[in-house]
Amino acid sequence: MAATGTGVCAAGFSLVLRRDIFPATVRPKHSVSASVTNRVVESDILSEQEQRHRGPIVWDKGHFEKKNSIEKTRGNESQNGDLSLRDYLQLSRELITRSDGGPPRWFSPLECGARLKDSPLLLFLPGIDGVGLGLTLHHERLGKIFDIWCLHIPVMDRTPFTDLVKLVESTVRSEYCRSPNRPIYLLIQLHLFGKSQLQTLIPFSAMLPQQFRAGLPYMLSLMTGIPSRLVVATMEKRLPLEQTVEELSKGAVAFSSYLSVLAEVLTVETLLWKLNILKSAAASANSRLHAVKAQTLILTSGQDQLLPSREEGERLHQMLPKCEIRTFNESGHALFLEDGFDLVTILMGASFYRRGRNRDYVFDYLPPSPSQFRKIYEPHRWTEVATNPVMLSTLESGKVVRGLAGIPSEGPVLLVGYHMMLGLELVPLVSRFWIERNILLRGIAHPMMFTRLRDGLLPELSSFDTYKMMGAVPVSASNFFKLFSTKSHVLLYPGGMREALHRKGEEYKLFWPEQSEFVRMAARFGAKIIPFGAVGEDDIGQLLLDYDDLKKIPYFKDSIEELTDETVKLRSNAEGEIANQAVHLPIILPKLPGRFYFYFGKVIETEERKHELKSRDKADELYSEVKNEVERCIAYLKDKRENDPYRKIFSRLSYQATHGFDSEVPTFDI
């Protein structure tokens, strides 16, 4: 089953409900739009077998009687339309009350617009609750890029585990036969038991006196951390005291109401059945892990009080051959209920989303929304605050202005520049383009950000998720071609790793290859080329030990060799300095932050020179012109920054303290 698609495993489970999910006993009052799904099934018309093979039931939000009342109680809780934890409790209560004892069935909980063309199928398999609503807070965003089917197992259902497996297996097989090139994702709220506290509940529940059995749901809910999440979510809103007390009171009422219904429905017998099903599932899964060959992404919580999520995640990471792991250290058991947790962003950062048999870093990429960008940018904002970058660009007339007005809005555009030590310029550069001009720079990156030859000393791939979320792609001629064909703004550093890991005395020196291939590719699409220089690395740090120093020390020499062996090789046929791509981490002595400076030269047009630049000689001439212009931009900045009265951080802070911390700090005269 897993071999037919991509697996996403979450070690832990979440109990989430939303207003657009309805029990199968509620028959649709009107037909559902075909844009939602082309496989609409009404449960009271088709047989169980027909439902399983025809597709999911679509429950439209217009059928939920309490939808309007819940909307009114929510008020202005969320600007983005996301439900709160209180809503989850209210809707859980309603769904549990209405739930029938029918067989397990697939449903499609979509409320968003049309999906992307060729969207993959996402099959969501629930945890111990069986409701199938664990992705509720993510339905809207996931529904734009996936065809989502969720498995619903009614509370009173007694379908054996083997039959549940057959249901999922038959669905995967039939969908694979129908569309062999369409990826199938299995998103599993996984419990492999291990040393879980759930183990103790089986004998404990059986021995518990009848009068105390109604307290089991309370115990389980406390272990999941739901009550504390209610408090935390309310406090994080930073409302006035009176509103905070009111919110906490409403949350307590909702939680109490939810538990009272849960206690009525989730009898000890039902709980024991579910726990034994879980135990059988864990034993079955553990015995078959060796056969899983599919690409797998494991999401674990660092503060899970109910399940050993972190330990289980690490164990699976070691056992599964095509496995990556992402750990959320501050998250609890109900990972998908965590504020700020965005599953789509995680999938994009891990380069885990694809719509065809093979992953396409260009066509499968989805840019972040404004809210996503803010979440991505906030942890790195200190870089821009510390360096307060000066951006200069050149207008069509040749006039140099402050800001990015000289950058064309429409692509394809190729920005070619100098790579500072360790790529320190990337955060302020990419963020300024996004904030000031709403332009996404698609960076051409080293393959080490995306893959490994083997595990070892290199940082985890998750360390580079931010770059991938912001559109970075591994360097290749095909990716270059695709980016230009989609009229993207492409960011290229011809000097690559050699330039970003330069030695002492090599600051602002270009290490470009002899080949002019990027010029020929840009000309093929009539792309605009913008040379640029970046200056300031020497204002924030001093290179203490470089590659030449480190390789003389046995310990570091061995580490460099091991790191380099783990990395995909580039320019293996190149000679000289540019071929030296040894991977190492130089030792840098920090300084009080100075300032970063960027200068974007005049746009070089290639549209009218397509035929001419097919000639390698002419392409080489333009290549030299671009390189010389980058060097000119660097020289200009190095000279002009000497006259910047706000080059030092204290002078900038003094200015901002007087004029406001959001004010633009002046610089040298242009």
Side-chain angles (χ1 to χ4, degrees), residues 80-94:
N80 298 322
D82 295 333
L83 293 184
S84 69
L85 190 54
R86 191 175 79 237
D87 294 325
Y88 148 71
L89 294 169
Q90 290 175 317
L91 295 167
S92 299
R93 178 181 180 277
E94 179 68 17

Side-chain angles (χ1 to χ4, degrees), residues 15 216-227 255 258-259 262:
L15 305 171
L216 278 176
Y218 292 82
M219 185 186 305
L220 276 175
S221 297
L222 289 172
M223 292 168 70
T224 62
I226 290 177
F255 181 64
Y258 159 74
L259 282 180
L262 191 65

